[in-house]
Amino acid sequence: MATATFFSDLVRCETRLYNALNDRLRRRHGIAASQYEFLRYLRDHPDARVGDLAGFFAIGVGATSKGIDRLEGRGLVRRVPDPADRRSSLLELTDIATQLVHEADETFETIGALIHAALDPTQLHDAAQALRQLLTALEHDRIGTPAG
């Protein structure tokens, strides 16, 4: 019973926080939360490929590629040839995207404020540690990894 409650609470918290972030990012910056996550990942992982994003976010390569297509269409991401593999492309942020993700980081901090208002530092540390441990176990066993 405790596991079912934990799972339900975890999913509902994630959904509410994600929806709040999504609403704020759309209103202030014209991007969705998923786009912000892609842009932030690319900022923090130069020379990433579509497959790297798909693996990190545990989503399909096709869906990831479509997301990158949308960002590329908006002039936020460029595909550049991979010098080590001519069949592959590396992804890089444009200057506009670098500025956008910097500004969106400030909006993201408003969600951090919600979390800090609800949890004291010890609770936040313990929750973060528990989630990291759970995520590590899931990733190790490749649980929830899409087939394609």
Side-chain angles (χ1 to χ4, degrees):
M1 188 64 145
T3 303
T5 300
F6 172 79
F7 182 83
S8 178
D9 289 348
L10 177 65
V11 169
R12 289 174 34 237
C13 284
E14 185 275 339
T15 299
R16 287 177 180 271
L17 289 169
Y18 200 85
N19 288 345
L21 177 63
N22 194 57
D23 292 346
R24 292 169 191 199
L25 288 170
R26 282 188 185 280
R27 190 171 46 253
R28 296 176 186 169
H29 309 287
I31 58 173
S34 60
Q35 293 173 316
Y36 169 68
E37 289 187 282
F38 276 17
L39 294 173
R40 194 174 66 180
Y41 181 90
L42 293 174
R43 178 198 58 203
D44 297 342
H45 300 87
D47 298 330
R49 295 176 183 81
V50 167
D52 298 329
L53 273 87
F56 181 80
F57 291 108
I59 56 178
V61 171
T64 305
S65 186
K66 286 179 185 176
I68 293 299
D69 288 345
R70 284 188 208 91
L71 293 171
E72 189 175 31
R74 290 186 59 185
L76 300 173
V77 172
R78 278 189 292 269
R79 285 182 165 99
V80 296
D82 181 349
D85 181 359
R86 292 187 303 177
R87 298 170 296 154
S88 183
S89 295
L90 302 175
L91 303 171
E92 65 180 32
L93 296 181
T94 63
D95 292 341
I96 294 167
T98 300
Q99 180 63 35
L100 175 64
V101 76
H102 174 74
E103 293 168 1
D105 283 341
E106 295 174 18
T107 299
F108 177 78
E109 289 304 317
T110 66
I111 300 302
L114 294 173
I115 295 169
H116 287 283
L119 302 174
D120 68 43
T122 300
Q123 290 173 314
L124 181 58
H125 175 268
D126 291 348
Q129 192 171 29
L131 288 174
R132 173 57 53 195
Q133 184 175 342
L134 177 58
L135 180 59
T136 298
L138 294 170
E139 288 176 341
H140 177 268
D141 295 335
R142 299 186 50 79
I143 295 172
T145 302

